[in-house]
Coordinates of all heavy atoms in Angstrom, one line a residue:
S49 N 72.8 125.8 -22.2 CA 72.0 124.6 -21.9 C 70.5 124.8 -22.2 O 69.9 124.0 -22.9 CB 72.2 124.1 -20.5 OG 71.5 123.0 -20.2
A50 N 70.0 125.9 -21.7 CA 68.6 126.3 -21.9 C 68.3 126.5 -23.4 O 67.3 126.1 -24.0 CB 68.2 127.5 -21.1
A51 N 69.3 127.2 -24.1 CA 69.1 127.5 -25.5 C 69.0 126.2 -26.3 O 68.2 126.0 -27.3 CB 70.2 128.3 -26.1
V52 N 69.9 125.2 -26.0 CA 69.9 123.9 -26.7 C 68.6 123.2 -26.4 O 68.0 122.5 -27.3 CB 71.1 123.1 -26.3 CG1 71.0 121.6 -26.8 CG2 72.4 123.7 -26.8
A53 N 68.1 123.2 -25.2 CA 66.8 122.6 -24.8 C 65.7 123.2 -25.6 O 64.8 122.5 -26.1 CB 66.5 122.7 -23.3
H54 N 65.7 124.5 -25.8 CA 64.7 125.2 -26.7 C 64.8 124.6 -28.1 O 63.7 124.4 -28.7 CB 64.9 126.7 -26.6 CG 63.9 127.4 -27.4 ND1 62.6 127.6 -27.0 CD2 64.0 128.0 -28.6 CE1 61.9 128.3 -27.9 NE2 62.7 128.5 -28.9
L55 N 66.0 124.5 -28.6 CA 66.1 123.9 -30.0 C 65.6 122.5 -30.0 O 64.9 122.1 -31.0 CB 67.6 123.9 -30.4 CG 68.2 125.2 -30.8 CD1 69.7 125.1 -31.0 CD2 67.5 125.8 -32.0
G56 N 65.8 121.7 -29.0 CA 65.2 120.4 -28.9 C 63.7 120.4 -29.0 O 63.1 119.6 -29.7
I57 N 63.1 121.3 -28.3 CA 61.6 121.4 -28.4 C 61.2 121.8 -29.8 O 60.2 121.2 -30.3 CB 61.2 122.5 -27.4 CG1 61.4 122.0 -25.9 CG2 59.7 122.9 -27.6 CD1 61.2 123.1 -24.9
E58 N 61.9 122.7 -30.5 CA 61.5 123.0 -31.8 C 61.6 121.8 -32.7 O 60.8 121.6 -33.7 CB 62.4 124.1 -32.4 CG 62.1 125.4 -31.7 CD 63.1 126.5 -32.2 OE1 64.0 126.2 -33.0 OE2 62.9 127.7 -31.8
R59 N 62.6 120.9 -32.5 CA 62.8 119.7 -33.3 C 61.7 118.7 -33.2 O 61.5 117.9 -34.1 CB 64.1 119.0 -33.0 CG 65.4 119.9 -33.2 CD 65.5 120.3 -34.6 NE 66.8 121.0 -34.9 CZ 66.9 122.3 -34.8 NH1 65.9 123.1 -34.5 NH2 68.1 122.9 -35.1
I60 N 61.0 118.7 -32.1 CA 59.9 117.7 -31.9 C 58.5 118.3 -31.8 O 57.6 117.8 -31.3 CB 60.2 116.9 -30.6 CG1 60.3 117.8 -29.4 CG2 61.4 116.0 -30.8 CD1 60.3 117.1 -28.1
A61 N 58.4 119.5 -32.5 CA 57.1 120.2 -32.5 C 56.0 119.3 -33.1 O 54.8 119.4 -32.7 CB 57.2 121.5 -33.3
D62 N 56.3 118.3 -33.9 CA 55.3 117.5 -34.5 C 55.1 116.2 -33.7 O 54.3 115.4 -34.0 CB 55.7 117.1 -35.9 CG 57.1 116.4 -36.0 OD1 57.9 116.6 -35.1 OD2 57.3 115.6 -37.0
R63 N 55.8 116.1 -32.5 CA 55.6 115.0 -31.6 C 55.3 115.5 -30.2 O 56.2 115.5 -29.4 CB 56.8 114.1 -31.6 CG 57.1 113.5 -33.0 CD 58.4 112.7 -33.0 NE 59.5 113.6 -32.8 CZ 60.8 113.3 -33.0 NH1 61.1 112.1 -33.3 NH2 61.7 114.2 -32.8
P64 N 54.1 115.9 -30.0 CA 53.8 116.6 -28.7 C 54.0 115.7 -27.5 O 54.3 116.2 -26.4 CB 52.3 116.9 -28.8 CG 51.8 116.1 -30.0 CD 52.9 115.8 -30.9
E65 N 54.0 114.4 -27.6 CA 54.2 113.5 -26.5 C 55.6 113.6 -26.0 O 55.9 113.4 -24.8 CB 53.9 112.0 -26.8 CG 54.8 111.4 -27.8 CD 54.6 111.7 -29.3 OE1 53.6 112.5 -29.6 OE2 55.3 111.2 -30.1
E66 N 56.6 114.0 -26.8 CA 57.9 114.2 -26.4 C 58.2 115.6 -26.0 O 59.1 115.9 -25.2 CB 58.9 113.8 -27.5 CG 58.9 112.3 -27.8 CD 59.8 112.0 -28.9 OE1 60.9 112.6 -29.0 OE2 59.6 111.0 -29.7
A67 N 57.4 116.5 -26.5 CA 57.7 118.0 -26.2 C 57.5 118.3 -24.8 O 58.2 119.1 -24.2 CB 56.7 118.8 -27.1
S68 N 56.6 117.6 -24.1 CA 56.3 117.9 -22.7 C 57.6 117.6 -21.8 O 57.9 118.4 -20.9 CB 55.2 117.1 -22.1 OG 55.4 115.7 -22.2
Y69 N 58.3 116.6 -22.2 CA 59.6 116.3 -21.4 C 60.6 117.4 -21.6 O 61.3 117.8 -20.7 CB 60.1 115.0 -21.8 CG 59.2 113.8 -21.4 CD1 58.5 113.1 -22.3 CD2 59.1 113.5 -20.1 CE1 57.7 112.1 -22.0 CE2 58.2 112.4 -19.7 CZ 57.5 111.7 -20.7 OH 56.7 110.7 -20.3
H70 N 60.7 117.9 -22.9 CA 61.7 118.9 -23.2 C 61.2 120.3 -22.5 O 62.1 121.0 -22.1 CB 61.8 119.1 -24.7 CG 62.7 118.1 -25.3 ND1 64.1 118.3 -25.4 CD2 62.4 116.9 -25.7 CE1 64.6 117.2 -25.9 NE2 63.6 116.3 -26.2
L71 N 59.9 120.5 -22.5 CA 59.5 121.7 -21.8 C 59.8 121.7 -20.3 O 60.3 122.7 -19.8 CB 58.0 121.9 -22.0 CG 57.3 123.2 -21.5 CD1 58.0 124.4 -22.1 CD2 55.8 123.2 -21.8
I72 N 59.6 120.6 -19.7 CA 60.0 120.5 -18.3 C 61.5 120.7 -18.1 O 61.9 121.5 -17.2 CB 59.6 119.1 -17.7 CG1 58.1 119.0 -17.6 CG2 60.3 118.9 -16.3 CD1 57.6 117.6 -17.4
A73 N 62.3 120.2 -19.0 CA 63.8 120.4 -18.9 C 64.1 121.8 -19.1 O 64.9 122.4 -18.4 CB 64.5 119.5 -20.0
L74 N 63.5 122.5 -20.1 CA 63.8 123.9 -20.4 C 63.4 124.7 -19.2 O 64.2 125.6 -18.8 CB 63.0 124.3 -21.6 CG 63.2 125.8 -22.0 CD1 64.6 126.1 -22.3 CD2 62.3 126.1 -23.2
Q75 N 62.3 124.5 -18.6 CA 61.9 125.2 -17.4 C 62.9 125.1 -16.3 O 63.2 126.1 -15.6 CB 60.5 124.8 -16.9 CG 59.4 125.3 -17.9 CD 58.0 124.7 -17.5 OE1 57.9 123.7 -16.8 NE2 57.0 125.4 -18.0
S76 N 63.3 123.9 -16.0 CA 64.3 123.7 -14.9 C 65.7 124.3 -15.3 O 66.3 124.8 -14.4 CB 64.4 122.2 -14.6 OG 65.0 121.5 -15.7
L77 N 66.1 124.3 -16.5 CA 67.3 124.8 -16.9 C 67.3 126.4 -16.8 O 68.3 127.0 -16.6 CB 67.7 124.4 -18.3 CG 68.0 122.9 -18.5 CD1 68.2 122.6 -19.9 CD2 69.2 122.5 -17.7
S78 N 66.1 126.9 -17.1 CA 66.0 128.4 -17.1 C 65.8 129.0 -15.7 O 65.8 130.2 -15.5 CB 64.8 128.8 -18.0 OG 65.0 128.3 -19.3
A79 N 65.5 128.1 -14.8 CA 65.3 128.6 -13.4 C 66.5 129.2 -12.8 O 67.6 128.9 -13.2 CB 64.8 127.4 -12.5
P80 N 66.4 130.2 -11.9 CA 67.5 130.8 -11.3 C 68.4 129.7 -10.5 O 67.8 128.8 -10.0 CB 66.9 131.8 -10.3 CG 65.5 132.0 -10.7 CD 65.1 130.7 -11.5

Side-chain angles (χ1 to χ4, degrees):
S49 180
V52 169
H54 182 74
L55 287 174
I57 290 169
E58 290 178 356
R59 299 297 185 268
I60 58 172
D62 59 336
R63 296 176 294 192
E65 68 280 1
E66 293 181 31
S68 61
Y69 295 107
H70 281 269
L71 185 57
I72 292 167
L74 180 60
Q75 289 172 340
S76 67
L77 294 174
S78 300

